[in-house]
Amino acid sequence: KRITTHIPDKHKISKRGLITKFTRHTALRLRDALSQHTIPNSETYGITLTVPWKTDDICFDDRLNKYRECFHRFTISLSRRLPNSASIFRHELQKRKMPHTHIIIWLSHLDGASLRKGDLLALVLELWARAMQGELYGGDINHFFKYGVKVDPLSSNVAMMRYLCDHTAKSKQAQLGYIGKQWGYINRKHFVSPAVDVFTMTPSQAIQVSRTLTRFSRF
């Protein structure tokens, strides 16, 4: 229990600034979220949402604001259609500087017992198209229905980490720069901590494990 050494004056506390980058600490919190949350009896899928908007037809600030509105409508619809499932999402920018979102969804068997990959793709595409409310901004609707949504099954935690957290590669570095909340939850209340195994070690074994982990963690 830590003793508080400083209590700031509430009138001198500055407001939280605008989030402008995906920091190392942000990546760490995202990794923790992926490793510490799950839904029993569920299957995991990676979902990518993109928009058909043309860069020249909408300014950058309006582009982000309208995208946030679309995504907010989408999350509400997804929560209602899959009330027992939950997701973690991350926003990025495409090379053409249009926002897009990667989502990992834990599809509960209570919601998805009869859903296959194609069914989930059709559902997400329907909800995402409705969330856009017909706003194409010069884009092609046929191109959107073909490439606007992508769904991939994820077989392991390693695959999930790569899907959302592989931010060190050059291709990912080019996609940083989204202004605003970088990642978050959908239906967070359904997440539980995964089961863990407890091991009892002697002091010498604990030292050896610590040294081994230290070697592994050197980047």
Side-chain angles (χ1 to χ4, degrees):
K1 190 173 182 180
R2 186 171 59 182
I3 299 175
T4 303
T5 57
H6 174 67
I7 301 177
D9 187 344
K10 65 179 181 180
H11 299 293
K12 295 182 179 180
I13 299 177
S14 59
K15 294 183 178 180
R16 182 175 181 176
L18 191 65
I19 303 173
T20 59
K21 56 185 178 180
F22 190 80
T23 65
R24 180 172 60 88
H25 294 289
T26 304
L28 178 60
R29 290 191 293 270
L30 177 55
R31 291 193 191 99
D32 287 343
L34 291 173
S35 62
Q36 296 175 8
H37 294 88
T38 188
I39 290 184
N41 300 318
S42 65
E43 296 180 1
T44 53
Y45 292 89
I47 300 173
T48 302
L49 304 177
T50 58
V51 290
W53 305 343
K54 296 294 185 180
T55 306
D56 297 336
D57 293 343
I58 180 173
C59 70
F60 185 77
D61 290 341
D62 288 342
R63 190 188 315 159
L64 294 181
N65 291 333
K66 291 184 180 299
Y67 187 84
R68 279 189 279 266
E69 293 173 2
C70 292
F71 187 73
H72 178 66
R73 290 190 289 265
F74 172 79
T75 57
I76 294 176
S77 300
L78 185 68
S79 299
R80 291 174 178 172
R81 293 291 291 272
L82 302 175
N84 300 292
S85 304
S87 308
I88 295 178
F89 65 86
R90 176 183 173 184
H91 296 308
E92 294 178 339
L93 293 181
Q94 294 175 289
K95 291 182 179 180
R96 62 193 184 102
K97 298 306 178 183
M98 279 294 171
H100 71 153
T101 302
H102 295 295
I103 303 173
I104 294 179
I105 182 170
W106 283 257
L107 182 62
S108 171
H109 288 185
L110 296 175
D111 296 330
S114 59
L115 278 179
R116 294 174 297 179
K117 177 183 176 181
D119 298 324
L120 181 61
L121 175 61
L123 174 62
V124 174
L125 182 59
E126 173 193 352
L127 299 181
W128 186 230
R130 288 185 179 181
M132 290 177 54
Q133 296 183 336
E135 297 175 337
L136 297 178
Y137 297 107
D140 183 358
I141 188 63
N142 295 322
H143 189 272
F144 167 74
F145 280 118
K146 188 175 181 179
Y147 301 106
V149 174
K150 183 181 179 183
V151 176
D152 298 299
L154 300 176
S155 58
S156 66
N157 281 5
V158 174
M160 289 190 288
M161 291 289 181
R162 288 175 176 171
Y163 200 82
L164 286 192
C165 294
D166 185 17
H167 66 289
T168 57
K170 290 183 179 180
S171 60
K172 282 294 182 182
Q173 288 291 326
Q175 298 180 41
L176 301 180
Y178 183 90
I179 300 175
K181 187 176 181 180
Q182 303 286 311
W183 70 275
Y185 299 90
I186 303 174
N187 265 0
R188 182 177 182 176
K189 61 184 178 181
H190 293 306
F191 279 126
V192 298
S193 298
V196 296
D197 295 321
V198 178
F199 297 92
T200 301
M201 294 182 288
T202 65
S204 61
Q205 289 174 330
I207 292 173
Q208 184 61 42
V209 169
S210 178
R211 290 174 177 173
T212 303
L213 290 177
T214 301
R215 286 196 296 269
F216 282 150
S217 63
R218 290 172 184 166
F219 188 73

